[in-house]
Amino acid sequence: MTTRFARACFAAWMTVLAGIFYAWPETHLYSWAAIGISGVAGILLGVRAHRPSQRLPWYLIATALLFFVSGDTIYFVQTTHDVDAPFPGPPDVLYVLVYPLLAGGLLLFVRARSGDRNRAALLDALVPTVGLGLLTWVYLIAPYTRAADLSLTQKAVSVAYPLGDVLALAIMLRLLAAPGRKPAAVRLLSVSIVGVLVSDVVYGLARLNSDWNAGGPIDLGWVVFYAAAAFAALHPSMTWLTHDAAPPDAAPTTGARRLVLLTLAALIAPGVLLAQHLGGGVVDAPVIAAGSAALVLLVMARVGGLLGEQRRAHHSERALRRATAALAAAAGADDVLSAIRTAIAAVMPPGEPYTLLTGEPEPVEKGEIVEPGVTLAPADRATVGFPYALTATMVLPGAPPRRAATQLAAASGTLRAVRPAVQALFDQVALVAERIALAAEISRRDGEAYFRTLIQSASDVILIIDDDDRIRYASPSAGTVLGRPDLAGVPLARLVADTHHDELAALLIRARAGDRDGSDLTVVCGDRRLVQVECLARDLRDDPTVRGLVLTVRDVTERRRLENDLAHQAFHDGLTGLANRMLFRDRLEQAFAGAVSAGTHVGVLFVDLDDFKEVNDTLGHAVGDQLLVAVGQRIARAIGPRDTAARMGGDEFAVLVADAADPGAAEDVAARIVAALRSPVEVSDGLGGSHVVSGAASVGVATSRDATSPTELLRHADLALYLAKGAGKGAWQRYRSELHTAMVERLALRTALQEAVEQRQFVLQYQPIVDVRSRTVVGVEALVRWQHPERGLLGPYHFIEMAEESGAIVGIGAWVLREALRQFAQWRAESPDLSLRYVSVNVSARQFRQPGFVDQVREALAATQAQPAWLLLEITESLVLRDADQVWADLEELRALGVRIAIDDFGTGYSSLSYLRQIPVDVLKIDKSFIDDILAGSQQRALVDAIVTLARHLDLAVVAEGIEEEDQRAVLAAMGCPYGQGYLFSRPVWPAEIPVTAAAVVPA
């Protein structure tokens, strides 16, 4: 069991116990004991789970909680049985012992977190402690000391309570004042201490006024005391409170927030004095004066500490300036180390012991990066004499460079104080090391030996050629690149393939003429391999150290192969290997220009697969890709040798029929392509199975006879493809001039659709969903209509497909969802007795896959104040099968919200009935095509019966769509189909007619 789960269980358990305690006060004897014992158990469980390095402080806090709840239990037993409890009594002894136990545990935390003495943090904690202690004395302790009806023992016990609270608060403030980040366990302990402090203070005031009863709000602070302490122990950060690692790196700072708190604490004494003066007289003047004096002394001590820090900072700054000057004059590693020792001695406070060690230098590996920086970490006390040390890794100048680790060990407080100066020092060391290394590198480059080494180790082949074109010198890399280590005296032409001799001769002539260009040549290696090289020539015959032509030969075989591959990829489709859009357009422009001059014709075919989206949605993109490859191969085989086939993107292909004698040639190619793609394609799913899918396509044909430019020819082919799609698919169509008008109308309708979304020209009608047996209306389906300003009311057939293509369906769907919920909420508000239980809203696949759809549903429910149970979302089968993991996760989230899910047009997709036991849905809507033939076909009736039976066994509701005859209703009722909709019951009606329709549809 993880601690996160344990904390969640503990939170739930404490919440239940607190609820019982406040809901049934008469059970407080047991519920309060359970709360306290649970807090103790939580601490012990946290100690066992996280195994901190020191367990004693946690055991002390657990014992404190145990004493506290034991005292409460004894007290509640006494009061429950009307026992006259003496004061002080056993409960008071246990209560008083709680505070030293708490203080002891917190002190151990302080020692573990702060290491050695931290004067600044102590002063920052003492100032508010003295101020709050003064308040405690005046308002809580002093009234007890002046009480005449209390004995000395009773007064001492009464005073011990607030003193214990102040003690615990003081140590908690000291823990919070320690430098560094505060883990969650510290904050939880703070909440625990504040909880008991607040309740103790309020309880003390209530006891003074004899106004306290168990089960009141005062007890809430003690509940927080138990729960927060246990939470701190259960949190993983509890180990940090006693961790034996280095103290925090950051030195204590006095920020604006801390200054405000210190100022407010210092003003407590004057505030108390003023309050007593306004209240009628100062009765605690000596105590207030002592508190004021203590606050002034503490503040002055804190100011003195700040001044000391400023002096040390000034001292460190002067030491760093001197160290920088010494480092600037360093010329080697020894000078750098000497300057570091001098600087450290100057930076360390006078008289403060320390140890400075420099490890043995080690070579820096090639490519290794030495991370700069100074870290505070535990050190080997036996070696350096201190538990902590500042460690820095530096690079010493030299050839080769070396790294060395330097350790500065001292008291942890001193290390934190000098760390900024040490960090600045080693930053200067890094710069100096780089400067020395750079100077050495420049010096090395100036030598002739460096250049000789450079040539010897170069991967390129360096050749020196004499006037007779023979090789006088070849660098050692010739053996690696050319496979010929000994080339001295060999004619240069013998290295080059016969086909490139002329280019070699031209290169040498240009080089001797002063040109410095190069050429690509093919070289014959020693093993008869042909290698493509890039050869650069330079004339250095006038240089007395060379006296010849210098040729730099570089093997570029792989580079040229990669360039050729990239060039091929730039103009070809990566999936099918066909030409891409860019190459197709280039060849089209060339063919069009040639056809105009030669008087021939150019044809363009656009090929688009029919129903390719369904293959992708149902079988996956891998199968879809295989289908595209197969289609590309069939198209390539169907065209002529001079034609070009290209993939334009997605499932769209194009064919260029060039240099045709007549326009009919393009139509013949189109007919061959349609016939070639008509046969089904068998593709593998990559998992050992195969699928037979349709590769049928629609083809649009256009020729240059009707176009004046390549762009217009492409547009005509696109229009022809649109016509082929509309004519029933699986065929080809030729461009006709009237297509342009139809396309213009389609574009106008698309533009009007975008405006309709913005202007909200859509309205909703609703078709009732009824109980098949009783004919009672149980729900409605929202159906969107477009109130076109010119064409009137349009059904979804006129615009839904276009909305899907353009993306406008997302905006339309969001409006339909919100409007349907608003209308349904209005019906429920106006007619509470209405039989309607839900409204059904269709969701397109594109809308559902939009990021944030679940949040959109949640916002629509909140905006309309509709209940999630009123909403039924209808989705398609293909949506569930595509991106199943993400879609199912969203469906589960919607169902968890309370929204129900229905599969619309069930049985018309590609899904298997076995999916029904996994899909997170609630309702199946049987498609109208099944209902139409339910009376005439026995097989259709048996299929519907099987769906209804299966749904009943899977606890899914069934709605039969398209019921238009009474006999259909009777058959469905006999099968056990519970719900249906169709013209038999009602056509889609306007919102105002729904209450009337719901009341009118009664059992026959």
Side-chain angles (χ1 to χ4, degrees), residues 200-537:
D200 283 353
V201 170
V202 178
Y203 171 77
L205 294 175
R207 289 295 298 266
L208 287 173
N209 299 323
S210 299
D211 183 19
W212 177 81
N213 291 304
I218 298 176
D219 298 322
L220 184 60
W222 290 320
V223 173
V224 172
F225 170 53
Y226 291 121
F231 262 104
L234 289 171
H235 197 276
S237 64
M238 61 91 74
T239 58
W240 296 359
L241 287 168
T242 55
H243 201 279
D244 55 13
D249 292 344
T253 58
T254 306
R257 185 188 303 176
R258 185 170 294 190
L259 287 176
V260 170
L261 293 176
L262 294 176
T263 302
L264 292 176
L267 292 176
I268 288 177
V272 172
L273 184 62
L274 178 61
Q276 288 196 353
H277 173 73
L278 295 177
V282 180
V283 296
D284 296 299
V287 176
I288 297 174
S292 299
L295 288 173
V296 169
L297 292 176
L298 291 173
V299 171
M300 292 306 296
R302 187 69 175 93
V303 171
L306 293 176
L307 292 176
E309 292 178 5
Q310 185 178 7
R311 286 194 300 271
R312 288 191 294 272
H314 182 64
H315 172 75
S316 297
E317 183 180 355
R318 287 187 301 169
L320 283 176
R321 283 201 297 267
R322 292 195 296 269
T324 301
L327 286 170
D334 293 338
D335 295 339
V336 171
L337 292 176
S338 176
I340 291 175
R341 296 188 191 96
T342 303
I344 293 297
V347 166
M348 293 298 293
E352 187 73 25
Y354 70 92
T355 301
L356 180 63
L357 296 178
T358 300
E360 189 68 24
E362 299 177 354
V364 178
E365 298 294 336
K366 184 178 180 180
E368 180 181 359
I369 299 177
V370 178
E371 295 291 341
V374 177
T375 58
L376 180 63
D380 185 1
R381 182 186 289 269
T383 303
V384 298
F386 296 93
Y388 300 103
L390 289 175
T391 303
T393 301
M394 58 182 173
V395 177
L396 298 176
R402 297 171 298 163
R403 63 178 176 184
T406 301
Q407 276 191 321
L408 173 62
S412 60
T414 303
L415 294 178
R416 286 194 297 271
V418 302
R419 177 175 179 177
V422 174
Q423 178 70 63
L425 172 64
F426 279 96
D427 288 344
Q428 291 293 326
V429 170
L431 293 176
V432 169
E434 291 180 1
R435 175 184 61 78
I436 296 174
L438 181 59
E441 181 71 11
I442 294 174
S443 177
R444 187 169 67 91
R445 290 188 178 213
D446 288 340
E448 181 180 355
Y450 168 74
F451 292 102
R452 184 180 297 111
T453 303
L454 179 63
I455 294 176
Q456 295 289 337
S457 60
S459 59
D460 295 345
V461 179
I462 309 298
L463 302 177
I464 300 179
I465 309 301
D466 289 331
D467 291 339
D468 59 356
D469 294 343
R470 288 181 177 271
I471 300 172
R472 183 185 351 131
Y473 169 81
S475 62
S477 55
T480 304
V481 176
L482 304 178
R484 297 187 177 188
D486 186 10
L487 290 175
V490 176
L492 180 61
R494 188 178 298 176
L495 291 180
V496 180
D498 296 343
T499 55
H500 284 76
H501 279 180
D502 293 340
E503 294 183 25
L504 173 62
L507 173 66
L508 296 178
I509 292 173
R510 291 195 304 269
R512 291 186 174 107
D515 292 340
R516 297 186 178 183
D517 60 352
S519 296
D520 277 9
L521 304 173
T522 300
V523 174
V524 181
C525 297
D527 55 1
R528 309 307 296 172
R529 288 183 300 109
L530 296 180
V531 175
Q532 192 170 5
V533 299
E534 182 183 64
C535 187
L536 300 177

Side-chain angles (χ1 to χ4, degrees), residues 455-760:
I455 294 176
Q456 295 289 337
S457 60
S459 59
D460 295 345
V461 179
I462 309 298
L463 302 177
I464 300 179
I465 309 301
D466 289 331
D467 291 339
D468 59 356
D469 294 343
R470 288 181 177 271
I471 300 172
R472 183 185 351 131
Y473 169 81
S475 62
S477 55
T480 304
V481 176
L482 304 178
R484 297 187 177 188
D486 186 10
L487 290 175
V490 176
L492 180 61
R494 188 178 298 176
L495 291 180
V496 180
D498 296 343
T499 55
H500 284 76
H501 279 180
D502 293 340
E503 294 183 25
L504 173 62
L507 173 66
L508 296 178
I509 292 173
R510 291 195 304 269
R512 291 186 174 107
D515 292 340
R516 297 186 178 183
D517 60 352
S519 296
D520 277 9
L521 304 173
T522 300
V523 174
V524 181
C525 297
D527 55 1
R528 309 307 296 172
R529 288 183 300 109
L530 296 180
V531 175
Q532 192 170 5
V533 299
E534 182 183 64
C535 187
L536 300 177
R538 184 179 181 185
D539 187 6
L540 293 180
R541 290 177 294 174
D542 295 335
D543 190 327
T545 61
V546 179
R547 297 188 181 278
L549 294 180
V550 176
L551 269 61
T552 303
V553 180
R554 176 174 299 170
D555 185 356
V556 293
T557 305
E558 291 300 326
R559 184 202 300 176
R560 295 295 183 260
R561 183 180 296 117
L562 177 60
E563 290 173 354
N564 294 334
D565 291 344
L566 291 177
H568 183 273
Q569 292 175 13
F571 294 101
H572 291 80
D573 177 53
L575 178 63
T576 63
L578 301 177
N580 63 9
R581 183 186 297 271
M582 184 182 301
L583 180 58
F584 183 84
R585 182 60 186 258
D586 181 69
R587 292 186 179 178
L588 172 61
E589 292 177 352
Q590 296 179 18
F592 196 91
V596 171
S597 61
T600 57
H601 298 277
V602 174
V604 171
L605 283 63
F606 272 2
V607 183
D608 189 83
L609 298 186
D610 299 332
D611 304 322
F612 178 73
K613 184 176 182 297
E614 293 185 2
V615 175
N616 261 349
D617 290 346
T618 56
L619 301 179
H621 291 278
V623 174
D625 289 346
Q626 292 189 51
L627 175 59
L628 293 175
V629 172
V631 168
Q633 293 172 349
R634 292 189 180 187
I635 292 176
R637 289 194 296 266
I639 65 177
R642 292 187 298 175
D643 301 336
T644 300
R647 182 186 177 208
M648 308 297 281
D651 61 335
E652 188 178 73
F653 296 82
V655 175
L656 172 63
V657 181
D659 196 21
D662 60 84
E667 298 176 2
D668 293 340
V669 175
R672 291 200 302 269
I673 290 175
V674 170
L677 298 181
R678 188 172 292 127
S679 301
V681 180
E682 182 175 358
V683 293
S684 170
D685 59 6
L687 301 175
S690 62
H691 302 272
V692 177
V693 297
S694 172
S698 300
V699 181
V701 183
T703 63
S704 57
R705 181 179 59 182
D706 303 316
T708 60
S709 67
T711 301
E712 186 177 14
L713 182 57
L714 290 173
R715 186 165 60 247
H716 288 175
D718 195 21
L719 291 173
L721 176 63
Y722 170 72
L723 177 64
K725 286 285 188 183
K729 303 179 182 180
W732 63 271
Q733 290 290 335
R734 182 174 53 253
Y735 167 76
R736 298 194 300 272
S737 58
E738 61 268 19
L739 288 178
H740 183 72
T741 303
M743 181 56 69
V744 171
E745 293 179 356
R746 179 177 176 85
L747 292 176
L749 185 62
R750 174 176 292 190
T751 303
L753 183 61
Q754 295 292 343
E755 295 176 354
V757 175
E758 298 174 358
Q759 299 174 8
R760 299 191 176 182

Side-chain angles (χ1 to χ4, degrees), residues 630-983:
V631 168
Q633 293 172 349
R634 292 189 180 187
I635 292 176
R637 289 194 296 266
I639 65 177
R642 292 187 298 175
D643 301 336
T644 300
R647 182 186 177 208
M648 308 297 281
D651 61 335
E652 188 178 73
F653 296 82
V655 175
L656 172 63
V657 181
D659 196 21
D662 60 84
E667 298 176 2
D668 293 340
V669 175
R672 291 200 302 269
I673 290 175
V674 170
L677 298 181
R678 188 172 292 127
S679 301
V681 180
E682 182 175 358
V683 293
S684 170
D685 59 6
L687 301 175
S690 62
H691 302 272
V692 177
V693 297
S694 172
S698 300
V699 181
V701 183
T703 63
S704 57
R705 181 179 59 182
D706 303 316
T708 60
S709 67
T711 301
E712 186 177 14
L713 182 57
L714 290 173
R715 186 165 60 247
H716 288 175
D718 195 21
L719 291 173
L721 176 63
Y722 170 72
L723 177 64
K725 286 285 188 183
K729 303 179 182 180
W732 63 271
Q733 290 290 335
R734 182 174 53 253
Y735 167 76
R736 298 194 300 272
S737 58
E738 61 268 19
L739 288 178
H740 183 72
T741 303
M743 181 56 69
V744 171
E745 293 179 356
R746 179 177 176 85
L747 292 176
L749 185 62
R750 174 176 292 190
T751 303
L753 183 61
Q754 295 292 343
E755 295 176 354
V757 175
E758 298 174 358
Q759 299 174 8
R760 299 191 176 182
Q761 297 175 0
F762 296 96
V763 295
L764 291 182
Q765 288 186 324
Y766 299 88
Q767 185 174 30
I769 301 172
V770 304
D771 187 301
V772 172
R773 293 181 180 274
S774 66
R775 301 196 184 193
T776 304
V777 178
V778 296
V780 292
E781 179 179 358
L783 304 172
V784 64
R785 304 289 187 262
W786 182 4
Q787 190 66 53
H788 195 281
E790 298 176 358
R791 300 172 60 181
L793 189 66
L794 300 179
Y797 171 80
H798 297 279
F799 63 89
I800 285 297
E801 182 178 357
M802 186 178 300
E804 288 276 5
E805 295 176 359
S806 63
I809 192 66
V810 176
I812 296 174
W815 178 86
V816 170
L817 175 64
R818 189 178 292 257
E819 175 62 19
L821 288 173
R822 185 202 63 77
Q823 181 63 63
F824 193 84
Q826 179 179 337
W827 286 332
R828 296 288 299 221
E830 293 175 352
S831 304
D833 298 332
L834 206 60
S835 61
L836 295 180
R837 297 200 298 264
Y838 67 91
V839 59
S840 181
V841 178
N842 287 278
V843 180
S844 74
R846 187 163 185 173
Q847 179 187 2
F848 191 93
R849 293 193 182 97
Q850 283 291 114
F853 175 74
V854 177
D855 294 333
Q856 183 184 113
V857 173
R858 188 181 288 108
E859 292 170 1
L861 291 170
T864 58
Q865 296 183 347
Q867 299 179 14
W870 295 350
L871 178 60
L872 176 68
L873 295 179
E874 296 187 18
I875 62 175
T876 61
E877 289 179 276
S878 61
L879 171 64
V880 179
L881 295 180
R882 183 179 178 185
D883 301 331
D885 293 341
Q886 182 59 46
V887 171
W888 291 10
D890 291 343
L891 292 178
E892 291 287 7
E893 187 173 353
L894 287 169
R895 296 182 75 203
L897 187 65
V899 176
R900 295 191 302 154
I901 307 297
I903 294 183
D904 193 16
D905 299 336
F906 181 78
T908 61
Y910 290 86
S911 65
S912 168
L913 292 178
S914 63
Y915 272 88
L916 291 180
R917 62 186 181 87
Q918 304 175 16
I919 300 176
V921 296
D922 306 277
V923 179
L924 298 181
K925 300 195 72 175
I926 303 177
D927 187 67
K928 181 179 183 299
S929 61
F930 291 91
I931 307 303
D932 290 342
D933 300 330
I934 197 172
L935 300 177
S938 58
Q939 292 182 348
Q940 197 81 333
R941 186 164 54 251
L943 180 58
V944 174
D945 188 30
I947 294 175
V948 172
T949 303
L950 179 62
R952 183 167 57 250
H953 287 311
L954 295 176
D955 293 330
L956 299 177
V958 178
V959 178
E961 297 180 300
I963 302 176
E964 298 180 354
E965 302 178 16
E966 174 60 29
D967 291 342
Q968 293 174 340
R969 185 204 67 81
V971 170
L972 290 169
M975 291 180 181
C977 179
Y979 307 108
Q981 66 182 105
Y983 285 2

